[in-house]
Amino acid sequence: SRTHHDDQPAQLSSLLPDHHWVYAPAFDMALPGERTRRRQFGPMILSRWPILWSRTWPLPKRRMLDPINTQTAALEAVIDHPSGPLKLISLHLAHVGVEERLDQIAFLKQVLGNPAAEGGPWSGTDDEPHRNWTEGEAEPPNPTRAIWAGDFNMEPHSAEYHALTGQTPYHPGARYADGLIDTTSGLGLHTHVKVIAGQTRLRQLDHVFVTPDLAPCVETAWADNACPASDHHPLHVRLAL
């Protein structure tokens, strides 16, 4: 009701009619008294270039007694970028529990960790040509270079941050080869304002990470702290691919 039950994916796509888009409900619920309209919540990706394929990963969730906890998801999409296939992960991690976020990060690293061995959403030969699973197309790519972006609900240098980047507080600057690179490291940005006991805290809870092969492509990053659309502020990162 707070959004007047608007179809936000339809509204956003209508504002960017030249863009390709996919939307992934993390959950879907009946709207009381309605037969066809549903209540949904999940991530969306819009792209200037075609989206070759996408899939949705519901993230591990713990039942909570207080406050509310919701099912969230990661939307994985492969974009047909002029420089070659590019993967984008749009995600929303749990907003309360550190351990729950660590579970979600471990899950994502497991299911997304070996794209070369996994292949695309389908692979192999079409042994039932009359059903035409492939529509005559080659096997879809599953690239290793990737961008992970969204509301991580974690601050830089938290336990969750270290789990994603492979950094360690015991050896500052050390990184594992399979860790993600923080595109806003050292910039001192904030994307959320929280007031606790009269004290204002500026926090960066939203992030854009890239695989190490994309790190040299990062040109600039900034947060739009004047945008009133959400309690989380937009985070922009420009890459030259």
Side-chain angles (χ1 to χ4, degrees):
S1 57
R2 68 175 183 175
T3 60
H4 311 292
H5 300 295
D6 290 337
D7 186 341
Q8 292 183 337
Q11 290 183 339
L12 291 169
S13 62
S14 68
L15 292 171
L16 296 167
D18 296 330
H19 281 56
H20 307 266
W21 64 275
V22 287
Y23 163 62
F27 63 83
D28 175 280
M29 297 182 63
L31 193 62
E34 299 275 354
R35 284 197 311 112
T36 57
R37 292 172 64 200
R38 311 285 297 179
R39 294 167 56 204
Q40 296 180 336
F41 173 71
M44 183 181 186
I45 290 175
L46 296 108
S47 169
R48 287 186 288 164
W49 300 280
I51 300 174
L52 297 176
W53 61 268
S54 69
R55 57 183 172 179
T56 307
W57 297 102
L59 299 178
K61 174 182 169 294
R62 298 186 183 187
R63 187 181 183 209
M64 187 166 284
L65 299 178
D66 186 61
I68 191 173
N69 195 13
T70 58
Q71 177 68 61
T72 57
L75 173 57
E76 176 187 12
V78 172
I79 297 168
D80 189 16
H81 190 267
S83 67
L86 177 68
K87 183 172 292 184
L88 178 60
I89 312 296
S90 176
L91 56 81
H92 184 181
L93 299 188
H95 74 290
V96 176
V98 173
E99 293 299 324
E100 187 174 6
R101 287 193 291 272
L102 288 172
D103 288 345
Q104 294 173 342
I105 290 170
F107 169 79
L108 287 172
K109 291 173 71 174
Q110 178 183 6
V111 297
L112 301 175
N114 199 347
E118 180 188 8
W122 60 262
S123 57
T125 58
D126 192 350
D127 59 351
E128 297 180 280
H130 63 285
R131 300 183 70 180
N132 198 18
W133 282 104
T134 66
E135 294 291 339
E137 297 180 350
E139 178 183 339
N142 192 357
T144 57
R145 62 176 191 161
I147 301 169
W148 294 43
D151 177 4
F152 288 78
N153 277 308
M154 67 184 190
E155 296 188 65
H157 310 302
S158 62
E160 309 95 286
Y161 183 93
H162 293 310
L164 278 167
T165 62
Q167 295 183 4
T168 167
Y170 307 108
H171 295 279
R175 293 181 291 128
Y176 284 99
D178 60 349
L180 297 176
I181 305 298
D182 181 2
T183 61
T184 64
S185 178
L187 296 182
L189 304 179
H190 74 271
T191 62
H192 187 265
V193 179
K194 187 175 183 65
V195 179
I196 303 176
Q199 299 295 316
T200 299
R201 286 192 60 203
L202 305 180
R203 308 187 297 172
Q204 183 179 351
L205 302 181
D206 307 87
H207 305 269
V208 177
F209 296 96
V210 296
T211 48
D213 49 0
L214 289 178
C217 303
V218 178
E219 288 191 331
T220 185
W222 70 98
D224 183 358
N225 298 125
C227 180
S230 169
D231 60 328
H232 288 247
H233 305 160
L235 180 63
H236 303 261
V237 176
R238 180 177 291 127
L239 291 87
L241 301 177

